[in-house]
Amino acid sequence: MYDYGQMIAELNLIGLLPQTQARLQVHLAPSAANLPSSPYWLSNAKEVLVTIPWSSDLRGITRQLTAVLASLRRAGVDTTLGAEPFTISWVLPETLFSRSYEVIATTKSAPDYLAFRNAWYVRFAQVWQKAQPQLQAHFGVSRGFELHLLGEAPQTQGIIGVQWQAVPLLANTDTGSQTQSLLWLRGALWGLLCNQLPAQLATWGPKVILDPETVSSLKRLQPGVKRQVPTLDDGVHLPGYPQLSLDSQLLLGAALATGHKIAVLDERSEVLQIEDHLVAGGATLNSAAAANAAASKLAQKALLATHGLPVAPAAMYLNLNAALHDFHTSYAHKAIAVKPICGQSGLGVAVFRLPPTEAAFAQAFAQAAAYGPVLVESYVPGASYRFFVQDGAVKAVMEMTPANVVGDGRRSVAALVSHKNARRPIGWQPVVLDDTAEAALASQGVTTETIPPRGHQVFLQTVSNARFGADGYDVTADIAAGYTDLAVQAAAALGLRIAGIDMVIPNLYQAYQADQNGMAVILSITPTPALWPHAVPQMGVKRQLASDLITSLLQA
């Protein structure tokens, strides 16, 4: 038998610790809920067995467990944990065995590689009788952490890992576990390999080159009885992934609910994986060529006009001097919109319902030019609508109103904004009193201290975009059919399977007639429309679009 702890120290193999693979299983009571098949759960008469697949990312395991349990609760499964709900399996990095075997392979008494590899796990099992009581004491229980070696044929295929069964609650959380607990247990696993019992971990960790997070967790984790602490679930956000946008949470939640495998490959860039399909920057069914064409408002207008669809007249400018020339001959007397050709989410957009001054025009141009070439477009009066089109059908329509407050005859604009923000629905951005809001108020002859008459609507933005505090109301059932046909035609004109069509319509109830000017104008199209506004409208029916989108995505 070799001194494995000495091998780890001399070869500096402790750096392989983060590569240790873990699998977490949770045993729940049986459920009568009609669950879809899933890689994360198996339901039978005895239990609902939740399995979070092998991974070295312990934080990812914790987040997936949180999301899976939330998905099961939403499906009607009782996720209350028993006294010993967990089974945790570990697989040591193969590099640990291969690097250490190189040292003894040429010695006369060296075993074959398989026997050497097995010996690591056998050694672990031999010291387990001393370690098990200490782990039990650390988590405040009198039993649990039953050890089993993994591998159906150890002599021919080798031991593949160790498994702890009947593991108690590990933390005071909704899932009964947390990343910190798993980090500590992984440290205990390696500590035993290095001849350190769990009770010695607090002093052993800082002396060995462990990753800082593991060292920190060793110091923080305290003994004591753990319990399951329920958390609130608003039914919209996906517990476990608060760092992701609401759209990403809706996609992952819908994927879990329909039995699909998920992964978050990059949190910061929100690169998701659903089964074998990558989702980055929003779920899309569109070709790269169609998405690139849709990214340009100039290309959009050209394609839409070619198909005889209504668009607002516009001109492109590369510099302010050329734009000012046309300003003096035309725009100084017109209501206009100034926007970047390749922009999104309302960034860099300025809308002038009244003819702008030269200074205001120049400022708006500079704001848009920060994103590239600038489009100056005729202002189109009417209400703004977002059509969510997928595979030749309109799935949802939302009326968008710029950030506003409605007077009650008693409170100032500032007080009304504060009151509205305190009651803002899930996902919707607050109304902000910034320079743009001050300018919008000034154009209406009011300030933040003005007390608007009861029922009088005061606007704080000119752009109907949720990013800037706009309101959204579902009108899918109210919109006249001709407008939905127009939205479908617009998506088809750009070759888009999924699209958000922004349209201005004076009267959504009036039947659309293509030969009558001004009944509808298509302002812009996005190839990656947001899902969340339709899921949480401020008024109207909630539209859950993520499930259909995932179905189409997986069939693509």
Side-chain angles (χ1 to χ4, degrees):
M1 187 70 71
Y2 298 96
D3 187 335
Y4 302 106
Q6 184 177 351
M7 283 186 171
I8 290 174
E10 291 180 353
L11 298 176
N12 195 25
L13 299 177
I14 196 68
L16 298 173
L17 180 146
Q19 298 178 27
T20 307
Q21 295 281 313
R23 182 183 67 187
L24 184 62
Q25 294 177 296
V26 185
H27 303 267
L28 303 174
S31 174
N34 185 22
L35 297 174
S37 60
S38 168
Y40 298 107
W41 58 71
L42 178 65
S43 181
N44 54 44
K46 180 181 177 182
E47 65 179 357
V48 175
L49 177 62
V50 175
T51 300
I52 306 303
W54 292 103
S55 175
S56 60
D57 179 7
L58 301 187
R59 175 174 283 104
I61 287 176
T62 303
R63 286 174 172 168
Q64 275 201 347
L65 177 61
T66 303
V68 169
L69 291 185
S71 184
L72 286 170
R73 277 195 301 272
R74 293 174 182 179
V77 175
D78 181 4
T79 59
T80 303
L81 300 176
E84 300 160 353
F86 300 116
T87 295
I88 306 177
S89 304
W90 303 95
V91 172
L92 296 169
E94 195 63 32
T95 307
L96 173 67
F97 307 125
S98 61
R99 290 272 304 279
S100 55
Y101 186 70
E102 289 174 358
V103 176
I104 58 96
T106 57
T107 62
K108 187 176 181 180
S109 59
D112 62 51
Y113 180 75
L114 185 62
F116 177 78
R117 190 179 184 280
N118 283 349
W120 281 81
Y121 289 113
V122 170
R123 164 64 178 165
F124 183 87
Q126 290 173 342
V127 298
W128 186 245
Q129 289 183 348
K130 295 181 180 180
Q132 185 180 13
Q134 293 185 9
L135 283 175
Q136 291 169 348
H138 194 91
F139 288 96
V141 294
S142 59
R143 63 179 188 176
F145 291 101
E146 305 296 335
L147 179 68
H148 296 267
L149 296 178
L150 296 176
E152 296 181 0
Q155 300 306 317
T156 58
Q157 299 177 15
I159 300 171
I160 64 172
V162 297
Q163 184 179 85
W164 296 334
Q165 296 181 2
V167 176
L169 295 180
L170 302 172
N172 297 323
T173 63
D174 182 49
T175 63
S177 180
Q178 62 180 358
T179 305
Q180 181 179 316
S181 303
L182 295 179
L183 285 168
W184 192 90
L185 290 172
R186 186 179 65 182
L189 173 72
W190 276 73
L192 289 175
L193 295 176
C194 295
N195 306 315
Q196 304 290 326
L197 289 171
Q200 301 169 309
L201 284 180
T203 56
W204 170 70
K207 296 180 181 179
V208 184
I209 306 174
L210 296 176
D211 62 288
E213 191 171 19
T214 301
V215 173
S216 178
S217 71
L218 295 177
K219 293 179 179 179
R220 293 195 308 268
L221 199 62
Q222 298 297 320
V225 176
K226 304 297 186 291
R227 62 192 179 91
Q228 186 178 18
V229 181
T231 57
L232 294 177
D233 180 3
D234 59 24
V236 179
H237 292 87
L238 181 62
Y241 293 100
Q243 76 282 11
L244 299 180
S245 67
L246 185 49
D247 257 29
S248 291
Q249 293 183 51
L250 289 170
L251 285 168
L252 293 177
L256 284 175
T258 50
H260 296 297
K261 185 178 180 181
I262 66 168
V264 179
L265 304 181
D266 185 335
E267 291 179 3
R268 297 184 64 181
S269 301
E270 301 213 9
V271 180
L272 315 178
Q273 186 173 13
I274 300 174
E275 296 294 349
D276 295 327
H277 292 258
L278 294 179
V279 178
T284 181
L285 307 173
N286 302 317
S287 68
N292 288 335
S296 166
K297 293 181 176 63
L298 198 64
Q300 288 180 21
K301 286 182 178 294
L303 288 168
L304 293 171
T306 299
H307 287 78
L309 302 177
V311 295
M316 181 190 76
Y317 297 92
L318 298 177
N319 59 75
L320 179 59
N321 289 336
L324 284 175
H325 175 273
D326 288 352
F327 172 82
H328 292 298
T329 59
S330 177
Y331 303 140
H333 313 289
K334 295 178 180 178
I336 57 172
V338 181
K339 58 183 72 173
I341 282 181
C342 295
Q344 59 181 352
S345 302
L347 294 172
V349 177
V351 178
F352 299 98
R353 292 187 172 90
L354 298 174
T357 63
E358 181 176 340
F361 176 79
Q363 181 180 2
F365 189 95
Q367 177 179 289
Y371 300 92
V374 176
L375 200 69
V376 179
E377 183 179 75
S378 295
Y379 169 71
V380 181
S384 296
Y385 297 88
R386 161 61 66 88
F387 292 74
F388 190 100
V389 178
Q390 181 187 326
D391 291 326
V394 171
K395 301 291 186 177
V397 184
M398 177 159 286
E399 181 174 335
M400 302 295 297
T401 304
N404 69 92
V405 291
V406 178
D408 59 6
R410 294 179 295 179
R411 284 177 287 196
S412 67
V413 168
L416 290 169
V417 167
S418 178
H419 178 78
K420 182 171 186 174
N421 285 341
R423 291 156 180 79
R424 205 77 170 137
I426 292 173
W428 294 89
Q429 293 296 312
V431 178
V432 178
L433 290 173
D434 55 10
D435 292 342
T436 303
E438 297 277 2
L441 292 173
S443 69
Q444 300 164 81
V446 298
T447 69
T448 56
E449 301 306 314
T450 301
I451 299 177
R454 178 179 173 84
H456 180 73
Q457 190 174 33
V458 177
F459 290 94
L460 294 102
Q461 289 282 341
T462 58
V463 179
S464 301
N465 192 285
R467 185 187 186 99
F468 300 107
D471 296 333
Y473 313 100
D474 179 77
V475 294
T476 308
D478 300 322
I479 199 89
Y483 301 109
T484 60
D485 293 341
L486 184 59
V488 170
Q489 293 173 41
L494 272 67
L496 298 172
R497 288 186 59 191
I498 179 173
I501 313 296
D502 293 326
M503 199 181 302
V504 172
I505 303 171
N507 185 351
L508 79 162
Y509 302 108
Q510 186 176 3
Y512 176 68
Q513 298 181 46
D515 58 350
Q516 290 190 18
N517 291 332
M519 292 200 70
V521 175
I522 300 169
L523 287 185
S524 64
I525 299 176
T526 175
T528 54
L531 301 169
W532 71 263
H534 304 284
V536 288
Q538 295 179 40
M539 288 181 62
V541 178
K542 296 178 180 179
R543 310 283 174 178
Q544 305 301 332
L545 307 178
S547 294
D548 283 349
L549 183 52
I550 288 172
T551 298
S552 293
L553 180 69
L554 298 181
Q555 291 174 348

